Amino acid sequence: GVVKAVNGVSFEIPAGTTVGVVGESGCGKSVTSMSVMRLLQGPTGQIVDGHIRFRSNDGKVYDIAEMPMSEIHRIRGNQISMIFQEPMTSLNPVFTIGEQLDEVVFIHTPGATKEMAKARSLEMLELVGIAAPERVYNSYPHELSGGMRQRVMISMALACDPRLIIADEPTTALDVTIQAQILELINKLKRERNLSIIFITHDLGVVANMADRIAVMYAGKIVEIGTANDIFYDPKHPYTWALLSSMPDLDTEERLEAIPGTPPNMIYP
């Protein structure tokens, strides 16, 4: 049958704001982000209907869902970038960090020379707080720690000065200390560059400190959307209540509440 992994999702990301998208595994968070980037693998994955409107740097509004694939590169990677979930699987193990960063510059900057690409790559590595950019530039992914690899992925996403960044669970594989550093870095870059961010996570604690607005997803739909205060202190939807109730609380000895049952079958929801 046909699985409608995401159906009827609608939200907006104003300039300079962060919209958090939260929900359990399999609810459609990553499919939503891949749709915005037009990275769904056809023919099995398709955008059947709907619109994805994006205002570019020149003021024009493009419908990404309708753009031919031959033109999507003008937007993807250039004005919309993505920070993927697991940097070790996103970075190519047989190329150095420098070669992979340079490639981004070559693809999106017509007439770029090798010297220009290297200078831009080193500038981006410095921007994300890497103390020895030249050494990291010449390193392979396996020679870096998880936090360093994620900083590299952020520098790659910023290389072409995008307006919108999609962060798909960028701190999932990191320990708590490094996670806090990466989140602070993303916030700092957002303030300095007036970035718009879609922050996808299943960690409500993270999104509480990151997002201006929060969208709660369940079974391929957004069931509630509002400010962080609305979601955390005045939730309306039963699923939002259940998510908040399932968060551990160190100040109480009450039994942790679980959400009973399993997510619906998306073939026969």
Side-chain angles (χ1 to χ4, degrees):
V2 176
V3 176
K4 293 182 178 179
V6 172
N7 188 17
V9 167
S10 179
F11 61 94
E12 60 182 36
I13 307 101
T17 64
T18 299
V19 174
V21 181
V22 299
E24 63 194 66
S25 297
C27 70
K29 304 186 301 293
S30 291
V31 172
T32 300
S33 67
M34 300 289 259
S35 300
V36 174
M37 293 287 285
R38 289 287 297 276
L39 289 174
L40 294 176
Q41 294 295 313
T44 51
Q46 298 182 33
I47 300 173
V48 178
D49 194 16
H51 304 280
I52 305 168
R53 296 188 179 92
F54 175 73
R55 185 182 299 279
S56 67
N57 291 329
D58 59 12
K60 293 181 181 177
V61 177
Y62 296 93
D63 189 345
I64 294 172
E66 300 291 335
M67 288 180 76
M69 291 306 293
S70 58
E71 293 184 28
I72 199 69
H73 72 275
R74 291 194 291 122
I75 301 290
R76 185 170 65 203
N78 199 9
Q79 298 189 50
I80 304 177
S81 289
M82 193 162 183
I83 305 168
F84 290 96
Q85 194 167 21
E86 173 45 73
M88 195 60 198
T89 57
S90 303
L91 292 167
N92 193 320
V94 302
F95 293 107
T96 65
I97 297 300
E99 289 171 322
Q100 296 180 65
L101 279 169
D102 290 353
E103 183 183 23
V104 176
V105 180
F106 285 133
I107 289 172
H108 296 289
T109 310
T113 63
K114 187 162 180 57
E115 292 73 23
M116 286 171 56
K118 182 176 181 180
R120 180 64 173 171
S121 297
L122 291 173
E123 179 190 350
M124 289 296 102
L125 291 174
E126 283 187 41
L127 180 72
V128 296
I130 291 177
E134 189 78 43
R135 179 179 65 80
V136 171
Y137 181 88
N138 293 308
S139 299
Y140 288 89
H142 71 272
E143 297 177 300
L144 305 178
S145 67
M148 291 279 272
R149 285 195 292 265
Q150 196 58 283
R151 287 175 187 268
V152 168
M153 291 302 298
I154 294 170
S155 70
M156 196 175 288
L158 292 171
C160 295
D161 291 322
R163 300 192 73 206
L164 173 64
I165 285 185
I166 302 171
D168 187 3
E169 303 199 27
T171 59
T172 297
L174 306 176
D175 64 54
V176 176
T177 307
I178 303 301
Q179 182 184 53
Q181 293 175 7
I182 295 298
L183 294 175
E184 176 53 38
L185 173 63
I186 293 173
N187 262 334
K188 174 174 171 282
L189 293 169
K190 171 196 162 187
R191 292 191 302 268
E192 291 176 352
R193 293 176 165 243
N194 196 35
L195 294 171
S196 300
I197 299 174
I198 301 175
F199 196 94
I200 296 169
T201 183
H202 57 258
D203 189 329
L204 288 165
V206 167
V207 84
N209 296 316
M210 289 289 295
D212 302 297
R213 291 180 66 78
I214 298 172
V216 181
M217 284 194 76
Y218 178 71
K221 296 178 182 294
I222 289 179
V223 295
E224 186 167 357
I225 189 166
T227 65
N229 279 342
D230 291 338
I231 298 299
F232 281 90
Y233 298 110
D234 190 24
K236 298 292 191 291
H237 195 277
Y239 179 68
T240 310
W241 272 103
L243 271 186
L244 293 170
S245 299
S246 66
M247 289 177 65
D249 185 351
L250 298 178
D251 297 325
T252 179
E253 295 183 4
E254 289 182 14
R255 186 178 179 86
L256 190 65
E257 289 191 39
I259 301 175
T262 58
N265 183 335
M266 296 305 290
I267 298 179
Y268 307 107

